[in-house]
Amino acid sequence: MSYVGQPLKRFEDPRLITGQGSFVDDIKLPGMLHACVLRSPHAHARIRSIDVSAARALPGVAAVLTADDVQGIIKDIPNRNMSGELQAVELNAPEQPVLARGKVVYAGQPVAIVAARDHSLALDAMELIQVDYEPLKPIVDALEAAAEGSVPIHEELGSNIVLRIHHDRQGKDLDAAFAQADRVVRQQYYVQRLAPVPMETRGLVADYQPQEDLLTVWASTQRAHGLKTALASLLDRAEDGIRVVAPDVGGSFGEKGGTFAEYPLVAHLSLSLGQPVKWVADRQENMLGFHGRGHNVDIEAAVKNDGTITGIRLKIVSDSGAYFVNSTPSPPYRASHRIIGPYLTPTARVEVLGVATNKPPTGAYRGAGGPESAFCMERTVDLIARELDLDPAEVRRRNLIPPEAFPYLTPTGLTYDSGNYEKVLDRALEMADYQGWREKARRSRDSDGPLIGVGLATVIKMSGGSGESRTEEALIKIDSLGQTTAFTGISPHGQGSETSFSQIVADEIGVHPSDVRVLHGDTATIPEGGGTGSTRGTVVGGPAMYLASQEARRKLSKIAAHLMDCSPEDVTFLAGRVTNQRNPGQELNFAQVASAAYNEELLPPGMEAGLEFKGSFTLGAPYQSPHAFGAHVVVVEVDQDNGAVKILKYVAVHDCGRIINPMLVEGQVHGAIAQGIGQALLESMVYSSDGQPLSGSLLDYALPRATDIPNLETDTFETPSPLNPLGIKGVGELPTVAAPVAVANAVMDALSAKGVRHIDTPLTPERIWNALHGQGSAKL
């Protein structure tokens, strides 16, 4: 029996749902201090002076720090080193001071930090700090920031353009494609800023033990090893003097993949005070520190009268915010590559400008460039169909890359590995009763009642990450009693990796998955690890664990063969039993073989005692990665009287390569679609003209509720990837790429009956009503 492919329930769940999880805020250490951060109320202002004397004088306050106190002690957070990782990129971004120095450049920027004996006292002390600000005019619109003559937010840079990306591999062919096109379809899109809103906010505890000269940090992070490296650099400490532990992590969606200013500050406080220090962001702090998306996109598609796409011209202006975090360049860079989607588009020219604004940094949020690019491409495909009076499904079918074309090199430089896109699309259309709903939509347009719309999205999602994140390590230890422990550099936060990795190991060494303990998120247990992000968990971490498991099986087979006097090829492992295939009556249990591994008298000659196995896996060339595919079909009903949207049907079919655990895949699909629905209909980080957040808390930032999520009908195909030994392509982000635009296409299909061409998301009742009735702006 193979455990890979079985829908096992997550081993993590009983502990988590019974309240036995351990998160950062659950950590309590003797003598622990609590930190609070004073943040700027202004989007742009000079700091004339800071007076912290009253705060420092308050009994119970251990420290109050400003930029002057950490100058030369904590380095500025550097920009991401993209040398050798990203092509065609020019970077001119500022480094980020951990505390504002001289001026503030976004509302919520850290200005000072307080450490006190309890959280309430730290808050009281924070309120005693007096800051004299000289307000400056902010720039909150990315297009304004990119305009010629715009005043630079960071004077030393001389410009607000901090990132440039350009792809133009077939310039002459592209010009010819547009010159010979039957039609050029144009549209401008705005993919709004979003707040990730994980259930657990950012936070960490730092504890310095001087007798060991060891700084231990417990952090709510996706990348324990990455955070360790960053802290060592920022604090100028040796990496072997830092240990980072990621306990249970209550969600992230990309936000917790980088290093924020509070992290080295809290670590420094513990180092200097000799006491453990805890900082946990409140909900508003978390929502005002980091965002995803925020892309302005102009697209032109050259097409033939039958809907065939012959060329794409694209310009993206990405709102980078005031500073770069680790992942800030990733979404615009990846969007510039992925704009082609699953289509046979022969030529493309892409220009990207990343611009500084007086808003918090943007970066990777579930999909990281995929939802941004797919939204624009899939909306454009629907507009092509509308302008040519063609069925949107047929336009997609005519442009999909056929199975025989793989591996397929796109005009933006990506190589897709494998797929049968049309088969997946056909299955989604069949499940959705596509033609039946098309007919109902047509009939609804002749009545004064609700309008019915049908939306499609066919999308790809690259997995595995870039640069060093394309490599992962694994370690398996089996003790003399047969207890198996697997260590991984993957750092899950809801993906179910403990379960899926145990299935991979169990298959190879012939035990039950529940007998395999999977440990992760601790830099002391495995020396290297890339964490979880970019759909790399099972795509890169799974093969590393598989290769380590194969090493274990080979040695265990040799030991068992020696004990049973047979060939290693004759040994089988199943359900804890080790059998000689040529003599089925000859059998050992797994523990007996493991015990023999530690007894030199029972080992084959020349074999070392012990059972410890390492595995390492690296994806191949940087632009050759597994690419998963998804087709979503959505049916909506739009109330003409109030603009309300109701989702009547949702079908999603995905090809994510070989599936380790179908139940985990289904859970990832459901969660990702929920987030996509939120982007399409509800969520947006809105700022006033003076840079003040208008949706900076859950009072104003609308998240989808259970009643907003329809019944989801899902299916999967498995076209294995040739790029890793397990054939995995990944699914954690793929549905989030398709869902926002599938819903938007459905709504716009309904509104097209009333002459509405496009509305930017979120498609709130107000925007829809304004578009239907011609009052106000549909983009409010």
Side-chain angles (χ1 to χ4, degrees):
M1 174 185 176
S2 174
Y3 293 110
V4 168
Q6 298 300 313
L8 301 187
K9 291 183 178 180
R10 298 197 325 173
F11 300 145
E12 304 94 317
D13 286 348
R15 173 174 55 83
L16 294 173
I17 64 178
T18 56
Q20 298 177 58
S22 178
F23 300 86
V24 166
D25 207 21
D26 294 319
I27 297 171
K28 296 176 174 61
L29 301 174
M32 187 165 69
L33 300 171
H34 295 260
C36 288
V37 178
L38 178 70
R39 301 180 184 276
S40 169
H42 299 282
H44 200 192
R46 298 200 186 281
I47 299 175
R48 292 193 183 103
S49 64
I50 305 178
D51 184 356
V52 299
S53 56
R56 284 176 174 162
L58 193 65
V61 172
V64 181
L65 302 178
T66 67
D68 289 344
D69 299 306
V70 296
Q71 182 80 24
I73 298 174
I74 304 177
K75 298 175 184 176
D76 291 350
I77 299 174
N79 297 315
R80 179 174 177 172
N81 181 6
M82 299 187 295
S83 59
E85 179 182 342
L86 306 181
Q87 296 177 354
V89 174
E90 297 175 27
L91 188 62
N92 180 40
E95 295 191 338
Q96 180 180 0
V98 294
L99 292 170
R101 191 166 56 236
K103 75 172 187 174
V104 293
V105 287
Y106 68 92
Q109 182 177 356
V111 174
I113 188 168
V114 176
R117 66 170 179 256
D118 60 54
H119 185 258
S120 296
L121 183 60
L123 284 173
D124 290 342
M126 190 177 70
E127 292 181 357
L128 295 176
I129 299 173
Q130 299 295 314
V131 184
D132 183 13
Y133 294 101
E134 177 191 345
L136 303 171
K137 185 179 184 301
I139 302 176
V140 296
D141 181 82
L143 296 178
E144 178 187 348
E148 188 174 346
S150 181
V151 177
I153 291 168
H154 301 281
E155 296 92 340
E156 69 277 14
L157 300 181
S159 171
N160 288 318
I161 297 174
V162 292
L163 175 71
R164 291 181 185 270
I165 303 168
H166 188 71
H167 303 295
D168 188 3
R169 294 168 183 263
Q170 300 99 0
K172 292 182 180 179
D173 293 342
L174 181 73
D175 294 339
F178 275 85
Q180 298 165 16
D182 293 324
R183 183 181 294 260
V184 176
V185 178
R186 298 176 174 88
Q187 186 60 46
Q188 184 178 76
Y189 304 100
Y190 175 61
V191 183
Q192 77 272 29
R193 274 187 175 233
L194 300 175
V197 199
M199 188 174 293
E200 179 196 28
T201 61
R202 291 182 291 115
L204 76 161
V205 173
D207 182 24
Y208 177 59
Q209 298 295 324
Q211 62 274 21
E212 303 173 51
D213 192 24
L214 178 65
L215 174 68
T216 301
V217 174
W218 293 264
S220 185
T221 179
Q222 296 172 224
R223 299 174 63 244
H225 293 84
L227 180 55
K228 173 183 174 179
T229 299
L231 289 175
S233 174
L234 293 170
L235 299 171
D236 200 20
R237 286 183 60 83
E239 285 198 41
D240 59 9
I242 300 175
R243 176 190 181 190
V244 175
V245 180
D248 290 320
V249 176
S252 175
F253 313 119
E255 175 186 13
K256 298 173 183 176
T259 301
F260 289 83
E262 297 89 353
Y263 299 176
L265 283 167
V266 172
H268 168 68
L269 284 168
S270 181
L271 286 165
S272 59
L273 298 173
Q275 292 177 258
V277 181
K278 176 192 285 188
W279 170 79
V280 176
D282 65 29
R283 178 58 62 189
Q284 189 169 46
E285 282 183 297
N286 203 76
M287 292 184 69
L288 298 183
F290 175 91
H291 301 142
R293 316 288 190 252
H295 283 199
N296 297 270
V297 181
D298 286 281
I299 188 169
E300 295 178 306
V303 296
K304 296 296 185 180
N305 283 330
D306 66 355
T308 302
I309 302 169
T310 59
I312 292 290
R313 285 198 292 240
L314 182 79
K315 181 176 181 180
I316 300 173
V317 178
S318 172
D319 182 352
S320 300
Y323 291 109
F324 272 31
V325 293
N326 180 65
S327 66
T328 296
S330 296
Y333 181 76
R334 291 172 179 169
S336 74
H337 276 97
R338 297 173 187 171
I339 189 62
I340 301 305
Y343 304 120
L344 278 167
T345 306
T347 62
R349 179 179 296 140
V350 181
E351 181 184 3
V352 179
L353 300 180
V355 298
T357 63
N358 289 114
K359 287 187 283 188
T362 55
Y365 172 54
R366 198 170 189 171
E372 295 91 324
S373 57
F375 186 90
C376 303
M377 191 63 187
E378 290 301 294
R379 281 293 300 125
T380 301
V381 172
D382 264 31
L383 292 177
I384 292 170
R386 178 177 173 178
E387 291 194 18
L388 296 174
D389 195 24
L390 299 172
D391 186 293
E394 289 309 308
V395 173
R396 286 172 171 81
R397 192 189 310 279
R398 289 171 189 172
N399 286 284
L400 287 176
I401 301 165
E404 63 272 15
F406 293 100
Y408 181 77
L409 177 64
T410 73
T412 57
L414 295 181
T415 298
Y416 299 171
D417 55 332
S418 64
N420 192 331
Y421 297 167
E422 187 172 357
K423 186 176 181 181
V424 176
L425 172 61
D426 287 343
R427 176 59 176 149
L429 296 175
E430 175 191 11
M431 290 174 63
D433 184 21
Y434 177 75
Q435 292 300 334
W437 279 108
R438 278 286 177 212
E439 179 57 33
K440 292 177 184 178
R442 280 191 287 270
R443 291 200 299 267
S444 75
R445 298 174 185 190
D446 298 327
S447 72
D448 295 328
L451 298 169
I452 291 176
V454 183
L456 298 174
T458 48
V459 306
I460 53 93
K461 172 63 176 72
M462 187 182 84
S463 61
S466 57
E468 293 180 353
S469 70
R470 295 171 67 84
T471 296
E472 192 49 77
E473 312 291 332
L475 174 67
I476 294 174
K477 295 181 179 181
I478 305 172
D479 67 18
S480 60
L481 300 177
Q483 300 298 312
T484 302
T485 305
F487 302 87
T488 175
I490 295 297
S491 188
H493 43 276
Q495 289 81 3
S497 301
E498 291 180 32
T499 305
S500 58
F501 282 15
S502 71
Q503 291 174 259
I504 292 170
V505 175
D507 259 12
E508 291 303 307
I509 65 173
V511 298
H512 191 276
S514 61
D515 295 326
V516 180
R517 185 185 182 201
V518 177
L519 298 181
H520 55 80
D522 187 344
T523 62
T525 62
I526 189 166
E528 302 291 339
T532 297
S534 302
T535 311
R536 68 180 302 274
T538 53
V539 172
V540 185
M545 191 64 70
Y546 172 72
L547 295 174
S549 302
Q550 285 191 315
E551 288 295 316
R553 184 187 183 96
R554 278 191 281 270
K555 184 169 183 178
L556 290 166
S557 295
K558 291 177 181 178
I559 296 170
H562 183 68
L563 294 174
M564 294 189 290
D565 194 22
C566 65
S567 168
E569 289 74 24
D570 295 331
V571 176
T572 61
F573 294 82
L574 181 65
R577 299 190 303 274
V578 186
T579 307
N580 179 356
Q581 291 185 84
R582 293 186 180 276
N583 182 6
Q586 190 177 23
E587 182 177 283
L588 302 168
N589 63 50
F590 185 78
Q592 287 176 298
V593 179
S595 177
Y598 290 87
N599 186 336
E600 293 185 358
E601 295 180 1
L602 299 178
L603 289 174
M607 180 178 284
E608 291 185 6
L611 295 172
E612 182 171 317
F613 311 94
K614 294 180 180 179
S616 178
F617 176 75
T618 300
L619 277 173
Y623 297 92
Q624 297 180 16
S625 298
H627 281 79
F629 175 77
H632 289 208
V633 183
V634 180
V635 181
V636 302
E637 182 181 82
V638 179
D639 192 314
Q640 296 188 66
D641 292 330
N642 58 23
V645 175
K646 180 180 180 181
I647 300 177
L648 303 179
K649 194 173 191 68
Y650 202 116
V651 169
V653 183
H654 302 99
D655 177 358
C656 49
R658 189 181 182 198
I659 294 173
I660 304 299
N661 186 319
M663 187 178 294
L664 296 182
V665 168
E666 186 177 15
Q668 289 293 307
V669 168
H670 282 218
I673 290 174
Q675 285 183 290
I677 290 172
Q679 176 177 335
L681 300 179
L682 298 164
E683 300 181 43
S684 181
M685 280 303 306
V686 181
Y687 279 78
S688 68
S689 60
D690 59 353
Q692 292 301 313
L694 302 180
S695 53
S697 77
L698 295 182
L699 290 172
D700 307 294
Y701 189 92
L703 290 172
R705 299 167 296 178
T707 54
D708 297 312
I709 309 303
N711 179 53
L712 303 177
E713 301 174 47
T714 65
D715 199 359
T716 55
F717 280 86
E718 296 188 38
T719 306
S721 172
L723 300 180
N724 65 62
L726 292 173
I728 300 170
K729 294 182 178 179
V731 76
E733 297 174 290
L734 175 63
T736 312
V737 176
V741 69
V743 174
N745 276 341
V747 174
M748 297 315 304
D749 179 60
L751 298 183
S752 66
K754 303 300 179 181
V756 179
R757 177 181 172 87
H758 177 73
I759 309 173
D760 285 328
T761 52
L763 299 173
T764 60
E766 179 185 9
R767 288 186 178 187
I768 292 172
W769 191 91
N770 284 336
L772 284 171
H773 297 275
Q775 297 186 21
S777 170
K779 294 189 177 183
L780 290 175

